[in-house]
Amino acid sequence: MKSYYIVILAFIWPFLCHGQEGVIFGVVTSGNKTVPFVNVYLKNTLAGTASNENGNFKIDEIKPGSYNFMATAIGYLPYKQPLEIKPGQEIYIAIELIPSPEALDEMVVTGTLKGVQRSESPVPVEVYSPTFLKKNPTASIFEALQNVNGVRPQINCNVCNTGDIHINGLEGPYTLVLIDGMPIVSGLGTVYGLSGIPNSLIQQIEIVKGPASSLYGSEAVGGLINIITKSALEAPDFFADAFATGWGEYNLDVGAKIKLSPKTDMLLGINYFNYDQLIDNNGDNFTDLTLQDRISVFQKWNLKRKDNRILSLAGRFFYEDRWGGELQWTPEYRGGNEIYGESIYTRRWEILGKYQLPVKEQLLLSFSYNDHSQNSVYGDVPYLADQRIGFGQLTWDKKHGIHDLLFGAALRYNYYNDNTTATLTSDEVVIPSLFVQDEIQFAKKHALLLGLRYDFDKRHGSIVTPRSAYRFKITDEDILRINAGTGFRVVNLFTEEHAALTGARDVVVTEALKPEKSFNVNLNYLKKIFADNGTYATIDGSLFYTHFSNAILPDYDTNPNQIIYDNLNGKSISKGLSLNIDIAFPSGFKLLLGATLQDVSQTENGVSQRQILTESYTGTWNLGYTFKNIGLSIDYTGNLYGPMRLPVLGETDPRSDYSPIWSIQNIQFTYSALDNFEFYGGIKNLLDWTPNRGNPFIIARSNDPFDKEVTFDANGKPLATPNNPNGLTFDPSYVYGPNQGIRGFLGIRYRIN
C-alpha cells in the first residue's frame, strides 16, 4: 500500500510544484503609447520573453527566489527592478521605458569601419540621435551641433554667415564630415554642404574626436563627423516637419518611403529653407542675417539581394542662393563697387553607394562622387570655383581566431579650380591608399586595435599614418580606453579659409606649403550607473593632447590688410579635458551636461600665444521633463563659451581683443498626445545675446566697404584721418557668434509609420 502512495505522489509532484511557481505579467509603455517587441527577462536566468504588438508580456514557471527583472529595447534606457518571487505569486508590472537621447549601446561604425556596439568599440565614439536634434530644432546640421560638448559651429563671415565645425578648439579644416561613411562634405562642401540634409532622414550622428587619418586619410586630423542616414526598414512611410521663426525663417522637411518592387525600396527627402527679411538690429546698415533660398533633394535606394548582401545607392542635389550686405543692395549691384554685397550661388550634386561583392568573403565596395560649382562675389571681388571629388574604397573584413582584421584599398580623385591668382592652373590629383587594421581580443575584458595607412600624393610623396587603441572593460559598467594616432592634411586654402575670400584683406602665401601632421593621445573613461529606482546615468570623461607640426595658420596680426599663410616654424598644441554626464530619471526628467576645458596655442621662435577664435572653456546642457499624463515635454538647451582672441585690425582698433563670456539658451515645448502629430514651439536665444554687446561696431568701416575714403601710406598701411580716426579698413572678419537675437518659433511634425 505504501508503494502505491509513493507512485501516486511521484506522478502528481510536478503538478504540485508547478502550482508553487510564480508568474510575472504586465505591459510596456513609453509616454502614452505601448511599446512592442521589448525584451523582458530575469537577469542571469533563461526566463524571458518579448512584449507582443500591444506591449503585453507574460513570464511563467518562475521558481521562488530573488531576481533582477530587466526590460531592454533599442532607443530606450534599460529598465531594472529587483523582485522577490514567492511560491504561487503572480506579479503585475507596468513598465515605463524612457527614450534615451544618447542610448549607450547603439551600433557604431565610424571608429573602426565596422558595425559594433558602442560599448565594445576600442575607439570612443559619441552618438547623437534624432531625439537629440529635435530638442532644439534647426534648419541645418551646422546649427544642430551647437549643443554638442566640445563641438562648435564657427561663423567665419559677418556678411555671408558661412562657417565650419570646430572640434576641441581645432579649426574647421581639421574636421572631416562624412555622409554614410563617405567623404562627401569636404573642401568647399564643408562651408556649404552641411545645409539641406533633411533631419528626418538622419538615423544618428557619430563623432570621433582626434585624428582618424589611418582609416579616412587627409582632413581627418582633428576629428570627424559621420552623418548616417536611415535605411528603408527604419524610415517612416511618410513624414513632414515644418517650422517658422519670428525672424521670418521658414523650413520644410518632407519625405516618404516608396516600395518600387518586392526587392527595391526608395527613400525620398526634400528640404526647403527660405529667409528674405532685411533686419539690421545693430545699426551698421548691413544685414544681421544672410538672406537664403535653398532646396535639397535626397534619394536613397535599398535593393534586397541574395544572402542579405548590401546594395544601396544614394544621391543628393543642392542649390542655394544667399546674399548679405548693405540693406540697399539688389542683384543689379552684384560684382560692382557702388553698393557692397556678398552673393553666392551654389550648385552641388552627390552620389554615394555600397556594394557587397557576391563572394564568400566579406568584401565591400564603397564609392562616392560630388560636383560643387560656386559663383560668388564678395563686393567687387569675384570667386568662381569648381570642385570635384571622387572616392572609391574596397574593404575585406576577415576574422581569424582572436584577430578581427580589416584590409582596405582606396583611391581618391581631387579636382579644384578657381579664378584667383593663387590657382593659376587647375589642381588635379589622384591619391591611392592602402590600409590595414587588426582588432585583437586577447582576453575577455581586453581588446587592442592596431592600424596603419599608406597614402601616396605626387605633390608630397609617401605619407604613413599609424594608430593604436586599447579598451579595458573593467566591468560591464566601467570601460577604459586609450587611443593614440597620427593624422595629416593636404591644404587648399581657398576651399577652406573663407576669410581669404571676403575681399577685405589680401592673401599672402609666403612659401610652398607642406602637409600638416598631427599626433594625438586620448584617455577616455565611461561609467554606467543603474540605480534600483530605475534611474540611469552615464559619465563619459576624456583627456586629450594633440601636437601639430607644419601647422598652417592664418596670421591676421602682422599686417591688418593681409592674411599671411605659411607653415608654422614651431609647434601647435591642443590639450584639455572634457566631461559628459547623461542622467534619466523614472519621473521623466532627463539631464545632459557637458563641459570642456582646453588650451590651444602656437609656439614660434620661443613665443607662445593662444590660437585665434578659440575659447578656453565651453559648456553645454540639455534639461528635459515630460508630463506623461498630458503628452507635453519641456526642453531647456544651451551653451556657454569662454573668452577667445579675436582678429582686430591692430592697436588702434577700438573693438575688444577678446570676446566676453557668452551664452545661447533656448526653450521648447512639445505636445505629442495626438496620434502621428507633434506640435512644438518655443524661444531661441532667450538672453537676446549678440556679439555687438560692448563693442562700438562689429564690421569695421561698414560705411565705406570699398575703402574709397581710406588714405594709405607708401607701404599700404591705412593712415588716421578726420573721417577715419582709427586708421581702419573695411573688415567683416571680426566674428565669433551669431548676430540673431531673441526669436520665437512654431512647428508641426506629421508621421505615418
Side-chain angles (χ1 to χ4, degrees):
M1 190 70 174
K2 185 177 180 180
S3 300
Y4 175 76
Y5 287 123
I6 291 175
V7 172
I8 296 294
L9 183 60
F11 178 76
I12 66 172
W13 180 253
F15 299 97
L16 294 174
C17 290
H18 178 76
Q20 297 300 306
E21 293 174 339
V23 175
I24 301 173
F25 67 103
V27 64
V28 185
T29 60
S30 180
N32 57 351
K33 298 177 181 178
T34 59
V35 183
F37 314 123
V38 175
N39 293 317
V40 290
Y41 58 94
L42 299 178
K43 191 174 182 180
N44 298 324
T45 75
L46 297 178
T49 185
S51 61
N52 63 18
E53 63 273 11
N54 298 316
N56 298 311
F57 69 90
K58 182 180 180 181
I59 306 175
D60 51 19
E61 299 184 10
I62 304 172
K63 295 180 180 180
S66 299
Y67 299 95
N68 282 321
F69 176 74
M70 303 287 296
T72 59
I74 295 176
Y76 296 91
L77 299 178
Y79 176 92
K80 179 180 178 182
Q81 178 181 341
L83 287 179
E84 184 71 30
I85 306 294
K86 297 179 181 179
Q89 186 179 18
E90 294 187 1
I91 299 177
Y92 175 82
I93 301 177
I95 300 172
E96 175 69 21
L97 288 183
I98 302 172
S100 173
E102 311 311 321
L104 180 65
D105 281 334
E106 306 95 336
M107 295 296 292
V108 296
V109 297
T110 306
T112 61
L113 277 180
K114 296 185 179 188
V116 297
Q117 286 185 322
R118 182 186 169 201
S119 60
E120 298 298 323
S121 172
V123 179
V125 181
E126 295 183 14
V127 181
Y128 296 90
S129 67
T131 304
F132 178 87
L133 302 178
K134 288 180 180 179
K135 293 182 181 300
N136 180 32
T138 62
S140 70
I141 298 298
F142 178 81
E143 297 175 69
L145 296 174
Q146 64 183 279
N147 289 325
V148 175
N149 181 31
V151 177
R152 183 168 70 87
Q154 167 66 41
I155 297 174
N156 291 329
C157 175
N158 260 310
V159 181
C160 65
N161 294 156
T162 55
D164 52 32
I165 303 295
H166 291 201
I167 294 181
N168 286 346
L170 300 178
E171 293 283 350
Y174 299 110
T175 301
L176 177 63
V177 182
L178 311 167
I179 298 179
D180 288 337
M182 293 290 99
I184 284 290
V185 184
S186 57
L188 282 170
T190 301
V191 180
Y192 305 100
L194 283 173
S195 301
I197 301 173
N199 287 350
S200 301
L201 285 180
I202 296 174
Q203 176 65 22
Q204 61 191 37
I205 298 175
E206 300 181 5
I207 299 176
V208 174
K209 298 173 181 176
S213 292
S214 63
L215 280 183
Y216 296 97
S218 179
E219 296 173 348
V221 183
L224 60 89
I225 299 171
N226 191 4
I227 301 167
I228 299 175
T229 60
K230 292 181 178 178
S231 68
L233 185 64
E234 299 157 328
D237 292 332
F238 176 81
F239 63 84
D241 186 349
F243 73 84
T245 75
W247 271 48
E249 300 162 283
Y250 299 95
N251 186 76
L252 173 66
D253 276 353
V254 122
K257 177 168 62 178
I258 303 170
K259 194 170 188 63
L260 301 174
S261 74
K263 293 187 177 181
T264 307
D265 292 298
M266 188 264 285
L267 294 181
L268 173 66
I270 300 173
N271 170 257
Y272 177 71
F273 178 80
N274 179 268
Y275 171 72
D276 61 2
Q277 302 298 308
L278 293 173
I279 296 179
D280 178 26
N281 288 339
N282 59 21
D284 58 7
N285 195 45
F286 272 69
T287 53
D288 288 347
L289 181 65
T290 304
L291 281 67
Q292 302 169 55
D293 190 31
R294 71 168 177 259
I295 188 167
S296 174
V297 180
F298 178 90
Q299 285 189 357
K300 185 174 183 179
W301 299 67
N302 293 281
L303 294 92
K304 296 180 182 178
R305 299 173 59 210
K306 184 180 178 181
D307 298 325
N308 293 319
R309 291 193 178 98
I310 298 170
L311 176 56
S312 67
L313 183 67
R316 182 170 74 122
F317 174 78
F318 173 92
Y319 178 80
E320 182 182 65
D321 176 1
R322 71 161 61 202
W323 77 269
E326 295 186 271
L327 301 181
Q328 61 270 36
W329 187 91
T330 55
E332 55 262 30
Y333 293 107
R334 191 176 195 268
N337 62 359
E338 298 177 55
I339 306 297
Y340 188 90
E342 296 185 1
S343 171
I344 303 167
Y345 303 144
T346 303
R347 190 205 73 240
R348 64 181 279 123
W349 58 269
E350 310 157 349
I351 59 171
L352 63 156
K354 295 183 178 181
Y355 175 73
Q356 185 177 348
L357 273 61
V359 295
K360 182 179 179 181
E361 298 292 339
Q362 294 288 322
L363 291 170
L364 182 65
L365 176 66
S366 305
F367 57 90
S368 66
Y369 185 84
N370 70 77
D371 184 294
H372 184 110
S373 178
Q374 188 170 318
N375 181 326
S376 312
V377 292
Y378 301 88
D380 58 358
V381 178
Y383 174 66
L384 309 175
D386 289 291
Q387 177 180 270
R388 294 188 283 273
I389 298 176
F391 182 78
Q393 178 174 276
L394 179 65
T395 57
W396 177 28
D397 187 351
K398 180 70 173 179
K399 291 187 178 181
H400 180 71
I402 63 172
H403 299 273
D404 192 349
L405 297 160
L406 181 73
F407 301 93
L411 194 68
R412 179 171 176 139
Y413 167 77
N414 284 358
Y415 172 88
Y416 175 78
N417 196 17
D418 65 29
N419 65 314
T420 67
T421 56
T423 310
L424 298 177
T425 60
S426 61
D427 181 18
E428 192 170 16
V429 64
V430 176
I431 303 175
S433 309
L434 296 171
F435 59 90
V436 61
Q437 174 181 277
D438 183 10
E439 184 176 346
I440 308 167
Q441 191 76 42
F442 57 87
K444 183 177 181 181
K445 295 184 177 182
H446 302 269
L448 176 66
L449 183 142
L450 301 173
L452 184 70
R453 183 184 181 99
Y454 170 80
D455 293 82
F456 180 79
D457 187 323
K458 65 181 182 181
R459 299 165 297 183
H460 307 293
S462 299
I463 302 173
V464 178
T465 48
R467 77 159 173 173
S468 61
Y470 168 70
R471 189 203 76 226
F472 176 31
K473 202 167 185 179
I474 305 169
T475 69
D476 287 342
E477 287 76 34
D478 299 89
I479 302 171
L480 180 69
R481 298 180 177 95
I482 301 174
N483 280 241
T486 60
F488 76 95
R489 184 173 77 100
V490 177
V491 179
N492 189 323
L493 296 178
F494 297 95
T495 65
E496 298 168 338
E497 298 290 353
H498 185 270
L501 303 172
T502 62
R505 300 190 187 211
D506 294 327
V507 177
V508 178
V509 181
T510 62
E511 61 184 354
L513 299 177
K514 302 175 184 177
E516 294 180 271
K517 296 181 180 180
S518 69
F519 171 75
N520 170 270
V521 177
N522 183 297
L523 176 65
N524 174 261
Y525 175 70
L526 179 68
K527 172 69 175 178
K528 300 180 284 183
I529 301 172
F530 299 89
D532 290 340
N533 65 353
T535 300
Y536 169 80
T538 63
I539 301 173
D540 190 345
S542 293
L543 296 172
F544 58 88
Y545 176 90
T546 305
H547 179 281
F548 290 90
S549 57
N550 294 336
I552 300 171
L553 299 168
D555 176 3
Y556 292 87
D557 301 326
T558 301
N559 187 323
N561 290 312
Q562 296 178 339
I563 304 175
I564 302 172
Y565 293 98
D566 61 3
N567 284 113
L568 185 69
N569 183 22
K571 62 183 179 180
S572 177
I573 292 176
S574 169
K575 58 186 177 182
L577 59 91
S578 67
L579 180 67
N580 286 317
I581 300 175
D582 187 1
I583 307 175
F585 297 92
S587 62
F589 180 67
K590 288 171 282 189
L591 174 67
L592 178 60
L593 299 175
T596 298
L597 299 176
Q598 59 193 20
D599 180 13
V600 185
S601 63
Q602 296 89 43
T603 301
E604 191 167 22
N605 300 322
V607 179
S608 297
Q609 64 176 349
R610 279 178 56 184
Q611 180 173 291
I612 202 166
L613 291 172
T614 303
E615 66 280 8
S616 57
Y617 59 86
T618 181
T620 57
W621 63 86
N622 188 324
L623 310 180
Y625 185 78
T626 300
F627 297 91
K628 303 172 187 176
N629 56 335
I630 58 174
L632 179 67
S633 298
I634 302 176
D635 291 289
Y636 170 50
T637 59
N639 49 52
L640 176 74
Y641 298 107
M644 61 185 75
R645 193 164 68 90
L646 301 175
V648 295
L649 297 177
E651 295 181 357
T652 60
D653 193 332
R655 296 175 295 183
S656 175
D657 292 342
Y658 282 84
S659 67
I661 301 171
W662 56 282
S663 175
I664 301 291
Q665 302 177 23
N666 321 287
I667 191 166
Q668 176 184 251
F669 301 87
T670 304
Y671 179 73
S672 56
L674 298 179
D675 288 344
N676 302 327
F677 282 96
E678 276 189 354
F679 301 90
Y680 59 94
I683 300 173
K684 289 179 178 287
N685 198 353
L686 284 163
L687 303 181
D688 197 24
W689 179 90
T690 52
N692 59 301
R693 287 191 181 182
N695 271 310
F697 50 82
I698 294 296
I699 299 177
R701 299 286 297 172
S702 61
N703 62 313
D704 183 22
F706 295 100
D707 292 335
K708 294 180 179 180
E709 300 178 11
V710 177
T711 302
F712 298 91
D713 64 14
N715 297 319
K717 183 178 179 180
L719 298 174
T721 61
N723 70 348
N724 186 16
N726 299 110
L728 305 179
T729 57
F730 174 68
D731 177 35
S733 63
Y734 184 95
V735 58
Y736 57 94
N739 286 321
Q740 265 187 298
I742 189 170
R743 60 205 182 277
F745 66 95
L746 285 172
I748 182 174
R749 299 186 184 98
Y750 178 69
R751 177 186 179 108
I752 301 176
N753 289 318

